[in-house]
Amino acid sequence: MSWEKSSKTQPRVVKLLKNSIKKQRLAHAYIFEGAHGTGKMAVAAVLAKTFLCRNTEDENPCENCTNCRRITSGNHPDVHVISPEGQSIKIDQIRGLQKEFAYSGMESSKKVYIVEHADKMTVQAANSLLKFLEEPGADTIAILLTEQVHSLLETIRSRAQTLSFSPLPPQGILEKLLEEDIPKPIAALAASLTSDYAEALEICREEWFAQARAKVIQLTEELRLRPDYCLVVLQDQYLSFFKEKEQLRLALNLLLIWYRDLLSIHLSQSEKVVFFDQLQALEQQALQMSQRKTGEALQAILTAQARIRSNVSPLMVMEQLVLRLREG
Ligand SMILES: [Zn+2]
């Protein structure tokens, strides 16, 4: 774990922190705010490591000294992580921290504490932490992590430097999903559906999602090869599968991505294709369907989505959509 990995997804934050380390101007308290999965904890760990490492080189931790190794394995006596117990972070947890810090550091005088989901502190806990922030030890860094910075007390926010973590671009989400051993066709699709990594991972882990993907691919094949049977297939196989409104919404999103891929092929941008393992089928379909028709199909899907949102019967919406797509 080092800066290098985090700088791929959060280059601005990493640059700023490394620069502060170089100039020996680290703040006593930081708020790392940003969506779940943007790497706040990873950056906090590297910051702690760099701060405590005995042999840093160019603001990078050595990964080898006792301090680095203990932080990596999560048992450094001078690095404390506080997380919600149940629904909240309670005052006793903050008091416990203060007690620990009353003793001088075991390894050195430097200490780091990280508060996960800092917005979950009870009012008492937050006020207790506030006193702590007001009288910082010279060699202490507080790092508060939150997905909801506006839920933190204003008094806490004004005593810390806030660093915003950007949402991951699709490519960043894709890479993280692949690290979790999600198959690439599934990961690519999920990454183009949401910019929230946690949500993408959850989608990928649902078996239903892979089935939905296969269904949508199959529907496009029916439309291309057996257009006369589409309505029958729709009733037999699709509407029972995409039962809930949410599921139908997802199906339409997948269909939208498919036709966007088709457009990418028309525009000779096949590197943008999300259904990359279906390239051959897409290319064949592109031969049968002009760029203009593809644009019309995209419009028809968007219209269907709007109608589902306004509670038109799914059966009617989908039948009309399939008829429109079949004309292509
Ligand atoms: Zn080290």
Side-chain angles (χ1 to χ4, degrees), residues 99-148:
K99 212 178 254 177
E100 292 268 3
F101 275 47
Y103 306 107
S104 62
M106 297 196 193
E107 302 292 315
S108 68
S109 60
K110 293 178 172 177
K111 284 172 179 290
V112 177
Y113 61 97
I114 300 168
V115 183
E116 268 189 301
H117 299 288
D119 51 279
K120 300 245 158 75
M121 281 187 286
T122 62
V123 177
Q124 293 90 331
N127 280 318
S128 178
L129 183 80
L130 187 61
K131 281 191 204 123
F132 206 28
L133 292 178
E134 281 168 341
E135 39 193 77
D139 271 340
T140 299
I141 300 182
I143 309 168
L144 313 184
L145 315 183
T146 179
E147 291 165 30
Q148 276 153 10

Side-chain angles (χ1 to χ4, degrees), residues 31 33 119 146-154 157:
I31 294 170
E33 70 97 6
D119 51 279
T146 179
E147 291 165 30
Q148 276 153 10
V149 70
H150 297 290
S151 306
L152 284 177
L153 287 185
E154 174 55 36
R157 279 194 277 153

Side-chain angles (χ1 to χ4, degrees), residues 30-31 49 62 106 116 235 244 251 284 287 296 305 309 328:
Y30 287 98
I31 294 170
K49 215 183 259 185
C62 75
M106 297 196 193
E116 268 189 301
Q235 299 218 12
E244 309 290 329
Q284 271 174 16
L287 290 176
E296 285 171 11
Q305 283 181 324
R309 275 196 299 274

Side-chain angles (χ1 to χ4, degrees), residues 35-49:
H36 186 102
T38 45
K40 298 184 293 297
M41 186 47 117
V43 171
V46 183
L47 177 59
K49 215 183 259 185

Side-chain angles (χ1 to χ4, degrees), residues 1-3 21 24 26 44-72 76 78-79 107-112 139 141:
M1 198 191 284
S2 70
W3 292 115
I21 293 165
Q24 298 190 310
L26 279 176
V46 183
L47 177 59
K49 215 183 259 185
T50 314
F51 184 59
L52 289 163
C53 174
R54 293 168 174 167
N55 310 306
T56 51
E57 201 172 305
D58 297 332
E59 295 81 58
N60 282 304
C62 75
E63 302 291 345
N64 239 330
C65 69
T66 347
N67 286 341
C68 282
R69 277 193 274 173
R70 290 183 107 168
I71 293 172
T72 302
H76 195 292
D78 295 324
V79 177
E107 302 292 315
S108 68
S109 60
K110 293 178 172 177
K111 284 172 179 290
V112 177
D139 271 340
I141 300 182

Side-chain angles (χ1 to χ4, degrees), residues 174 183-189 213 261 270-280 282:
L174 174 61
K184 194 172 175 188
I186 302 289
L189 196 54
R213 179 181 182 275
D261 279 356
S270 50
E271 74 282 357
K272 286 190 181 168
V273 167
V274 176
F275 283 94
F276 65 90
D277 61 335
Q278 304 293 318
L279 202 57
Q280 215 179 355
L282 281 161

Side-chain angles (χ1 to χ4, degrees), residues 15-269:
K15 196 175 163 195
L16 192 142
L17 285 173
K18 284 182 86 171
N19 206 29
S20 303
I21 293 165
K22 192 173 178 178
K23 293 183 172 161
Q24 298 190 310
R25 274 196 210 146
L26 279 176
H28 288 299
Y30 287 98
I31 294 170
F32 289 179
E33 70 97 6
H36 186 102
T38 45
K40 298 184 293 297
M41 186 47 117
V43 171
V46 183
L47 177 59
K49 215 183 259 185
T50 314
F51 184 59
L52 289 163
C53 174
R54 293 168 174 167
N55 310 306
T56 51
E57 201 172 305
D58 297 332
E59 295 81 58
N60 282 304
C62 75
E63 302 291 345
N64 239 330
C65 69
T66 347
N67 286 341
C68 282
R69 277 193 274 173
R70 290 183 107 168
I71 293 172
T72 302
S73 57
N75 63 4
H76 195 292
D78 295 324
V79 177
H80 294 263
V81 179
I82 291 188
S83 320
E85 281 177 4
Q87 293 297 309
S88 58
I89 295 172
K90 301 177 177 65
I91 187 164
D92 285 346
Q93 293 177 265
I94 303 294
R95 281 192 185 135
L97 183 74
Q98 284 158 334
K99 212 178 254 177
E100 292 268 3
F101 275 47
Y103 306 107
S104 62
M106 297 196 193
E107 302 292 315
S108 68
S109 60
K110 293 178 172 177
K111 284 172 179 290
V112 177
Y113 61 97
I114 300 168
V115 183
E116 268 189 301
H117 299 288
D119 51 279
K120 300 245 158 75
M121 281 187 286
T122 62
V123 177
Q124 293 90 331
N127 280 318
S128 178
L129 183 80
L130 187 61
K131 281 191 204 123
F132 206 28
L133 292 178
E134 281 168 341
E135 39 193 77
D139 271 340
T140 299
I141 300 182
I143 309 168
L144 313 184
L145 315 183
T146 179
E147 291 165 30
Q148 276 153 10
V149 70
H150 297 290
S151 306
L152 284 177
L153 287 185
E154 174 55 36
T155 38
I156 287 186
R157 279 194 277 153
S158 66
R159 277 172 183 79
Q161 184 178 350
T162 299
L163 299 183
S164 294
F165 282 56
S166 330
L168 300 186
Q171 188 59 30
I173 293 188
L174 174 61
E175 280 167 21
K176 286 188 71 172
L177 292 174
L178 294 178
E179 282 170 21
E180 295 292 325
D181 290 329
I182 305 289
K184 194 172 175 188
I186 302 289
L189 196 54
S192 66
L193 278 173
T194 171
S195 57
D196 178 339
Y197 168 69
E199 192 189 0
L201 185 60
E202 202 182 301
I203 292 174
C204 288
R205 288 194 168 145
E206 272 180 42
E207 207 179 306
W208 187 87
F209 182 61
Q211 293 167 0
R213 179 181 182 275
K215 286 269 182 206
V216 167
I217 293 171
Q218 195 195 334
L219 178 63
T220 63
E221 197 177 284
E222 301 281 355
L223 281 166
R224 187 162 50 93
L225 303 175
R226 288 173 290 278
D228 291 345
Y229 294 99
C230 273
L231 283 184
V232 182
V233 174
L234 179 76
Q235 299 218 12
D236 277 4
Q237 297 186 24
Y238 289 86
L239 291 169
S240 56
F241 184 78
F242 297 101
K243 275 196 300 279
E244 309 290 329
K245 205 169 163 182
E246 266 308 290
Q247 297 175 325
L248 205 54
R249 200 184 59 86
L250 179 78
L252 286 171
N253 275 332
L254 299 187
L255 211 50
L256 199 65
I257 293 172
W258 179 275
Y259 281 89
R260 263 196 346 232
D261 279 356
L262 211 50
L263 199 61
S264 296
I265 289 181
H266 276 301
L267 299 170
S268 309
Q269 297 177 324

